Amino acid sequence: MKKSYTIVSLFSGAGGMDMGFENQGYKILWANDIDKDACITHKIWSTADVVHGDISKLEFNNIPKPDVILGGFPCQGFSLAGPRKIDDKRNSLYRHFVKLVELKEPTAFVAENVKGILTLGSGAIIEAIIEDFKSKGYIVKAKLLNASDFGVPQDRERVILVGIKENCKLNFEFPEPLDHKVTIREALSSVEEPKIEDICNASYSSRYMSRNRRRDWDDTSYTIPAMAKQVPLHPSSPKMIKIHKDLWSFGSEGTTRRFSWQEAAAIQTFPLGMEFVGDLTSKYKQIGNAVPVKLAGAIAKALYSTLEKGENVICLDKSNSEKHLSMLA
């Protein structure tokens, strides 16, 4: 019988990463996020104990001990899309992740963040984060992955950190890209035509018009963002026309519209018909903040293979290391 490794999930949002891991046979025990709507959405599809609240105010001793800890810690301070401040207070939230890893000593952890974290502070930030995890007894590997290489119909580059407990002597290898890239046409083939109220119709800002936002049916989509008014255009929209550097306009033929929230969810590889609670802005936010389900699934599958190789390996916890060593004497 296939073993079900247990998961504790931080910064879980609506649960894109969690769902990807559950699809590969893991069991989500406990999840947390500060977004109330996202927590309710998570509760609808999962059986986890989903706790809404500020991670800095939670009692970590009440969190169950898992085999794996997941976390896409907040990336606003690291993002290439907005202001990038080394001292942004959101950049320190990962320390709660490190603290929980130290306390629970899981066999492994998986963390996700935006591409911009690699160059923030000329690379000093990512190096400091990796060193923090290493100091807790983990061998850490980091790699920039594009979700489009793993069955996600979207160009979405994200940094994935995977840590394996040093005592386990296990070697994790990142998954290899798939041969086929899923297109927008394939992703939306079963998605119903949206209602007007399911599409963000906010005005198009100068930031939005600073670059092309439309791709064709047989392409992969641009990244689905968390901000509704920045969501890319549906391929039925007329092509955008470049006017000057950092200035584009809409074509005159046809109707211009963004992806609906249901279409955005499909591009993020959430299951068709999945329920997201909250108003339109909240739905787009939950979807855009999520780790694409199929990207998470590819990482989960690779990690599962690694953990299976270690089933006969004793991973020493600080709490039982002396007892184990005495047994070997």
Side-chain angles (χ1 to χ4, degrees):
M1 184 175 177
K2 187 175 181 180
K3 178 177 173 59
S4 181
Y5 295 102
T6 55
I7 297 283
V8 157
S9 176
L10 304 178
F11 315 108
S12 60
M17 183 180 281
D18 298 2
M19 185 177 288
F21 272 73
E22 281 227 339
N23 289 347
Q24 293 300 320
Y26 295 75
K27 175 66 175 176
I28 312 298
L29 299 178
W30 186 96
N32 163 252
D33 200 89
I34 199 168
D35 185 317
K36 185 176 181 179
D37 285 346
C39 287
I40 297 173
T41 296
H42 197 307
K43 288 179 181 179
I44 291 172
W45 70 261
S46 78
T47 59
D49 179 13
V50 183
V51 177
H52 168 236
D54 184 338
I55 190 173
S56 67
K57 298 177 181 178
L58 297 181
E59 176 50 66
F60 279 15
N61 288 326
N62 294 333
I63 299 173
K65 177 178 171 62
D67 296 311
V68 182
I69 294 178
L70 305 180
F73 48 87
C75 60
Q76 291 91 338
F78 302 131
S79 178
L80 289 171
R84 304 173 69 212
K85 300 178 181 179
I86 295 176
D87 60 351
D88 190 314
K89 67 180 182 179
R90 293 168 296 187
N91 291 345
S92 65
L93 286 174
Y94 83 91
R95 294 187 184 278
H96 299 291
F97 193 143
V98 176
K99 177 183 174 183
L100 189 64
V101 166
E102 180 180 27
L103 180 65
K104 301 299 179 181
E105 297 187 299
T107 303
F109 70 83
V110 179
E112 177 261 3
N113 215 282
V114 293
K115 180 180 179 179
I117 197 174
L118 295 175
T119 53
L120 187 64
S122 299
I125 298 299
I126 187 66
E127 289 178 10
I129 290 172
I130 290 173
E131 285 304 314
D132 275 353
F133 282 115
K134 283 184 175 180
S135 72
K136 308 308 177 188
Y138 288 80
I139 296 173
V140 182
K141 289 188 175 183
K143 190 170 184 177
L144 181 66
L145 300 181
N146 191 332
S148 68
D149 288 328
F150 302 97
V152 180
Q154 168 189 186
D155 277 319
R156 188 184 187 94
E157 291 185 301
R158 291 296 185 267
V159 176
I160 305 297
L161 295 168
V162 177
I164 303 289
K165 203 170 183 183
E166 194 171 14
N167 292 333
C168 294
K169 309 297 183 184
L170 297 175
N171 181 39
F172 172 81
E173 295 293 342
F174 283 97
E176 292 295 322
L178 302 176
D179 293 332
H180 173 70
K181 292 203 175 189
V182 180
T183 66
I184 298 172
R185 186 186 305 278
E186 292 172 276
L188 302 186
S189 62
S190 298
V191 179
E192 294 182 358
E193 189 68 21
K195 299 176 183 177
I196 294 176
E197 58 266 29
D198 291 331
I199 305 169
C200 174
N201 63 356
S203 60
Y204 297 96
S205 65
S206 58
R207 175 183 167 192
Y208 194 94
M209 304 305 296
S210 68
R211 59 184 174 86
N212 187 23
R213 303 282 178 165
R214 177 195 176 279
R215 281 185 171 170
D216 289 323
W217 282 104
D218 294 321
D219 294 330
T220 55
S221 172
Y222 287 117
T223 298
I224 299 298
M227 189 176 293
K229 63 182 181 180
Q230 299 301 332
V231 167
L233 297 179
H234 188 274
S236 65
S237 302
K239 291 184 178 180
M240 293 188 73
I241 303 166
K242 190 171 185 179
I243 306 299
H244 298 295
K245 182 179 181 292
D246 300 328
L247 179 59
W248 294 68
S249 69
F250 296 129
S252 58
E253 296 183 5
T255 301
T256 296
R257 75 162 176 90
R258 299 172 176 90
F259 285 120
S260 68
W261 71 262
Q262 295 96 332
E263 291 163 340
I267 290 170
Q268 281 280 63
T269 59
F270 281 107
L272 189 66
M274 177 169 164
E275 182 179 351
F276 289 84
V277 303
D279 61 21
L280 187 60
T281 298
S282 178
K283 289 176 180 178
Y284 275 114
K285 180 181 177 182
Q286 292 170 59
I287 292 163
N289 274 335
V291 176
V293 177
K294 287 192 176 179
L295 173 60
I299 298 162
K301 184 176 181 180
L303 181 59
Y304 194 99
S305 178
T306 301
L307 295 176
E308 284 289 271
K309 293 174 184 176
E311 277 302 291
N312 295 320
V313 177
I314 297 176
C315 301
L316 300 181
D317 289 343
K318 292 177 182 177
S319 59
N320 66 13
S321 60
E322 290 185 6
K323 177 181 177 181
H324 176 74
L325 290 173
S326 66
M327 291 171 64
L328 295 178

